[in-house]
Amino acid sequence: ETGSGKSFVGNRLLGREEFLSSASFDSCTKKCAKHCVKDGELQTEFQVIDTVGFSDTTKSDQEVRQLLGEFANLAPAGIHAVVVVLNLQAGGRSNALKVLDTIENFFGKYVWAHSVVLCNMSQRTAQEIMKDLDASSGSPAKWAKEWRAAGVPICAMPTVGRVDKSIAARVVDLKRAIVNRQRVYQSKEFLREHDRLKTLTTEAINEFTTCSWRDEMTKVNKRLLDGRLTQAGWEIERTRLGAKDAEDQRRNDTLKRVAAAGLVSTACGAGVGAAGAL
């Protein structure tokens, strides 16, 4: 999520300042970047990739998708963990929940099996965060259920810009959560998911018979491919527009039958008249 502190978190994982970060909610990251560090305590080498945010208002959705796809070049063998950095405070929750839909739409539902969710600017524990999501209706409860089913670790970090002992302890927790994610998310899975959506949208377009509704469905397809619409939302739009298309097609078929019947009736009438004259 743009402005949630992804670059700050990346620097904490590295233990040094490599990624440009800011205390503001504006995007600092313009393209994907990678840096490495060896962690003596965990006996692990971390390769940290900082990405652009999903809600970056300075870029189009297509540009964001293309920039996110750069991770395939930076990590050709795949990645062990996708650290999803969110601001779930009252003021940022609505946007964060939209970003979650976009992440799932971009990477596919299986991305959660490779993810760690980090709630930034939060003093709460993982248990408190999940309890709060469970108590909420609609989307928050849905994500709590999905994360629990996928075994997604929930971590928290107090405040963007602060570096103290409490931050250090949270960073260690985050590193352990990352190390414990054993399954590798292959870059080809990201590409495969996009190909699947392209196939899905092409099949949908072929179902439409009227130009106007086909054009409307093309717009909806673009929103899905750009990550601005979830597949569930896309299915609703597909059904709604499909019904409109079918209605117009029935109307057109009726008009054609009426027109054809009128031509037959006129032709027959002319024939009878001519015969009578004889």
Side-chain angles (χ1 to χ4, degrees):
E1 180 189 6
T2 298
S4 61
K6 297 184 309 302
S7 300
F8 172 81
V9 172
N11 288 332
R12 300 291 71 76
L13 288 170
L14 292 170
R16 62 183 189 270
E17 300 297 314
E18 291 285 1
F19 304 119
L20 180 63
S21 65
S22 168
S24 75
F25 290 99
D26 296 326
S27 173
C28 289
T29 307
K30 303 305 178 185
K31 63 178 182 178
C32 293
K34 180 176 75 171
H35 292 283
C36 306
V37 64
K38 289 185 178 180
D39 188 287
E41 183 180 350
L42 296 177
Q43 298 295 303
T44 302
E45 179 179 272
F46 286 92
Q47 298 184 48
V48 183
I49 299 174
D50 189 21
T51 71
V52 296
F54 280 95
S55 52
D56 190 333
T57 56
T58 67
K59 297 178 177 65
S60 70
D61 297 298
Q62 186 60 32
E63 286 176 316
V64 171
R65 172 180 282 279
Q66 290 173 347
L67 288 170
L68 282 168
E70 288 179 2
F71 90 87
N73 298 323
L74 296 174
I79 49 182
H80 283 89
V82 177
V83 180
V84 180
V85 184
L86 301 170
N87 172 15
L88 288 178
Q89 301 304 306
R93 172 174 290 199
S94 176
N95 188 59
L97 294 173
K98 291 178 182 177
V99 167
L100 292 173
D101 283 328
T102 304
I103 290 172
E104 187 170 287
N105 193 43
F106 267 42
F107 295 97
K109 282 194 172 185
Y110 40 74
V111 71
W112 301 117
H114 310 272
S115 297
V116 175
V117 170
L118 174 67
C119 297
N120 216 350
M121 296 173 276
S122 175
Q123 301 284 353
R124 295 178 298 171
T125 64
Q127 291 76 14
E128 290 170 337
I129 292 169
M130 290 297 280
K131 184 177 180 181
D132 178 49
L133 293 175
D134 282 329
S136 304
S137 59
S139 183
K142 166 206 164 186
W143 290 117
K145 183 178 179 181
E146 280 204 33
W147 292 342
R148 195 173 283 111
V152 178
I154 309 296
C155 299
M157 203 164 284
T159 308
V160 169
R162 276 181 51 191
V163 182
D164 55 22
K165 290 183 179 179
S166 64
I167 289 284
R170 299 297 182 97
V171 170
V172 171
D173 290 341
L174 176 59
K175 285 182 176 180
R176 285 180 177 147
I178 292 171
V179 169
N180 288 333
R181 295 310 261 173
Q182 297 298 319
R183 297 176 60 186
V184 176
Y185 182 90
Q186 301 287 346
S187 56
K188 63 184 179 183
E189 293 183 52
F190 174 79
L191 302 174
R192 186 186 303 128
E193 178 64 13
H194 187 56
D195 288 342
R196 184 186 71 82
L197 292 178
K198 286 177 68 176
T199 300
L200 199 64
T201 54
T202 299
E203 291 174 351
I205 281 293
N206 290 337
E207 296 172 356
F208 284 74
T209 57
T210 58
C211 293
S212 58
W213 294 116
R214 187 184 297 118
D215 289 343
E216 289 300 311
M217 192 64 210
T218 298
K219 295 175 185 176
V220 172
N221 284 347
K222 188 176 187 307
R223 290 169 59 202
L224 176 70
L225 294 173
D226 287 347
R228 291 179 289 134
L229 184 67
T230 65
Q231 188 170 331
W234 177 84
E235 291 286 1
I236 292 172
E237 286 296 289
R238 178 187 187 181
T239 300
R240 183 181 70 84
L241 295 178
K244 295 286 187 181
D245 177 70
E247 182 181 341
D248 278 6
Q249 184 59 47
R250 285 194 296 271
R251 186 182 299 112
N252 291 340
D253 289 343
T254 299
L255 290 174
K256 288 178 182 178
R257 285 196 297 272
V258 169
L263 288 173
V264 170
S265 175
T266 301
C268 290
V272 170
L278 291 173

